[in-house]
Amino acid sequence: MSSKDIRSILSGGVKKVSGTKSSTVNSLITTKGKLLNDIASEPLWRTHGTYLITNLPPKSSLIKTFGNDTKIKIAAFDLDGTLVQTKSGRSFAISSDDWKWWDSPKAKSSVLEKLDQVIKDKYLIVIFTNQGGVVTNVANKSYNNFVKRVTSVIKSLNAYIKNEEVPILVYASPKKPAKETDSTKHTLMRKPNIGMWKELVEYVGNNQIDEDNSFFVGDAAGRPNDFSDSDLMFAKNIGITNFKTPEEFFL
Ligand SMILES: [Mg+2]
């Protein structure tokens, strides 16, 4: 790789990094130090153009967990305000460690206990999150903070259930860069639109999802104090009738 290529990537040439083999990513480490080193150590994270961020395990781990011949039940969750909340009390995380598991004084069981049960009940956990403050640039702080934050969420769950191999999938809809004039793909990926779900279907395989027995949990449910109903409408637009708010699900 020429130094010109490296400069291009570091200045935001996301496409060249997207889906690169780890050997290519590793070659960037020496030129950019810790920032890219941290990202390269989380090899499942990928950017797709500027419109999608994913954390997907190898398909082999899905087959190992769920077998080859049964439809997979999806336990789908929003992230912020649903699985986690900020430690700082702000609406948006201010750093990669500004998170804690969602909690409510009324909740009888913790999020971790509930997720453990969901995994025991043979659901595939998938997180669908709109991240309007994150750009798909591996050299950008917002991207680094997001990847590190969600990686630590997943590791915390893995540690609780004492299983590092349980696949946890993440789909995140990032901010559209101002310089891009075509917003079509970004709009499709943003809840309540179902582009992220379609990506999941493509990943798991057509007709491989048991939609009748899948569910979605999100806090944007159009309640009087909710900022939006994008989670509720996302579930409706997919055709998932089993929608719950975090209060309903974790109580
Ligand atoms: Mg939310």
Side-chain angles (χ1 to χ4, degrees):
M1 182 181 291
S2 74
S3 60
K4 191 179 164 205
D5 288 335
I6 291 168
R7 274 200 304 278
S8 159
I9 289 169
L10 295 180
S11 65
V14 172
K15 275 183 184 162
K16 293 198 176 181
V17 176
S18 172
T20 43
K21 292 192 178 102
S22 58
S23 59
T24 313
V25 176
N26 284 339
S27 73
L28 293 174
I29 294 170
T30 52
T31 66
K32 190 63 183 178
K34 193 167 182 291
L35 198 62
L36 286 178
N37 192 359
D38 285 349
I39 295 295
S41 69
E42 306 301 341
L44 301 181
W45 287 94
R46 292 284 182 274
T47 56
H48 307 261
T50 61
Y51 57 87
L52 182 66
I53 302 167
T54 60
N55 181 68
L56 305 175
K59 284 292 282 283
S60 56
S61 86
L62 281 196
I63 293 166
K64 190 177 170 190
T65 307
F66 299 99
N68 229 344
D69 51 359
T70 51
K71 286 193 174 190
I72 297 176
K73 300 182 290 182
I74 306 296
F77 295 89
D78 169 53
L79 178 66
D80 297 309
T82 297
L83 288 179
V84 301
Q85 57 195 105
T86 60
K87 277 193 291 199
S88 64
R90 300 201 190 194
S91 299
F92 302 104
I94 53 172
S95 65
S96 59
D97 65 354
D98 185 16
W99 75 272
K100 59 183 181 179
W101 291 105
W102 184 87
D103 195 15
S104 160
K106 292 184 194 165
K108 287 179 189 147
S109 61
S110 73
V111 171
L112 282 168
E113 285 170 25
K114 196 80 179 184
L115 293 181
D116 185 29
Q117 190 58 50
V118 161
I119 290 165
K120 283 179 178 147
D121 290 342
K122 288 277 176 197
Y123 285 88
L124 171 63
I125 294 179
V126 185
I127 298 171
F128 294 102
T129 174
N130 286 351
Q131 292 292 327
V134 175
V135 293
T136 52
N137 181 335
V138 295
N140 188 285
K141 194 175 173 186
S142 68
Y143 180 81
N144 275 264
N145 278 348
F146 173 71
V147 166
K148 285 187 206 166
R149 184 166 69 97
V150 184
T151 298
S152 71
V153 170
I154 292 170
K155 284 185 175 168
S156 172
L157 175 58
N158 286 147
Y160 180 82
I161 63 175
K162 297 186 177 65
N163 187 341
E164 290 182 0
E165 292 187 5
V166 167
I168 311 287
L169 281 59
V170 183
Y171 291 86
S173 160
K175 180 181 184 175
K176 182 181 81 67
K179 64 177 191 276
E180 282 193 28
T181 50
D182 184 358
S183 60
T184 312
K185 280 187 172 175
H186 294 83
T187 304
L188 283 174
M189 291 298 159
R190 180 156 299 264
K191 293 181 291 184
N193 295 319
I194 62 168
M196 293 194 286
W197 178 267
K198 285 185 173 172
E199 293 289 328
L200 171 71
V201 171
E202 190 160 310
Y203 175 76
V204 174
N206 220 2
N207 283 322
Q208 295 302 304
I209 294 179
D210 181 357
E211 290 183 5
D212 291 344
N213 290 302
S214 297
F215 64 83
F216 183 76
V217 182
D219 67 317
R223 296 166 293 178
N225 290 326
D226 291 350
F227 68 96
S228 155
D229 63 355
S230 57
D231 287 326
L232 174 66
M233 294 313 293
F234 179 70
K236 278 194 175 163
N237 289 338
I238 294 166
I240 289 182
T241 51
N242 192 357
F243 172 84
K244 285 190 164 57
T245 62
E247 285 81 1
E248 289 168 339
F249 187 72
F250 295 119
L251 280 183

